[in-house]
Amino acid sequence: MAVMTTITGVLFDFSGTLLHIEPAESWLRAALTASGTAMDEAELARRAAALERAGALPGGAPPVEIPADLAGQWEIRDRDARLHRAVYTGLARQVPLPAPELYDALYERHKTAEAWRPYPDAAEVLAELHRRGIRIGVLSNIGWDLRPVLRAHGLDRYVDTCVLSCEHGLQKPDPQLFALACRELGLAPSTVLMVGDDRTADGGATAVGCAFLPVERLPADGRPDGLRPVLDLVG
């Protein structure tokens, strides 16, 4: 991509950009352990695959089919923390599990630092941007506070601001959210680069004048250097 203006700030998406969620099997295994529920490995694999098809893992694959009673909520799930929980636990309940408390345990698990793996170059790129004096923000469509996850992985030290959809009642690609994030950085949108894995949601940054760099949404070990091109685009 061509950048005509000097970039002095970078906004990063969270899921699929800086960090990637764990596989559905380890997600379910952790929730089973937390709730003290036993399940043999073959059954665990089957239930995890069903949960993945249901789109019940936030940050994972979208639903193969959205139940009619959740369709409207799905589209706006990231605007409110309670709605986010209701939608994802609702999707999970499409899959029978042996204990009712597992649905909440699954949701709680995905909010933990252990459920997220940073991309291999995330810390290196953030540290170098910070060293250059570039303002850094995380701009995420999300239903919970991701700051503790960044802190646990040592990434928060490089981040100047986090703008979360659920805290503002807005979600990408709403231009208002990008404009707000640029204000939080204290920069004009024309000097800000948005980096994200969703060309529709994250690419909406161009509507307010930001530059946009897409990255591939891959498992963390499958994208070792996808963020390094950011360093070639900023001052």
Side-chain angles (χ1 to χ4, degrees), residues 105-166:
L106 284 168
Y107 190 84
E108 290 303 317
R109 166 65 186 185
H110 102 275
K111 298 194 295 180
T112 66
E114 294 78 14
W116 294 90
R117 182 178 174 187
Y119 282 93
D121 57 348
E124 173 192 340
V125 169
L126 291 178
E128 176 58 19
L129 291 173
H130 182 75
R131 187 192 68 79
R132 296 183 190 181
I134 300 299
R135 297 280 291 169
I136 298 170
V138 173
L139 174 55
S140 179
N141 279 354
I142 198 165
W144 48 276
D145 186 2
L146 56 76
R147 296 173 184 89
V149 174
L150 294 178
R151 189 178 308 122
H153 288 291
L155 302 179
D156 66 309
R157 71 191 73 177
Y158 309 118
V159 175
D160 297 296
T161 188
C162 289
V163 176
L164 312 182
S165 60
C166 64

Side-chain angles (χ1 to χ4, degrees), residues 78-96:
D78 295 317
R79 297 183 192 176
D80 179 83
R82 287 177 296 182
L83 181 60
H84 191 270
R85 175 186 283 272
V87 168
Y88 279 103
T89 55
L91 290 170
R93 288 189 176 93
Q94 308 303 304
V95 180

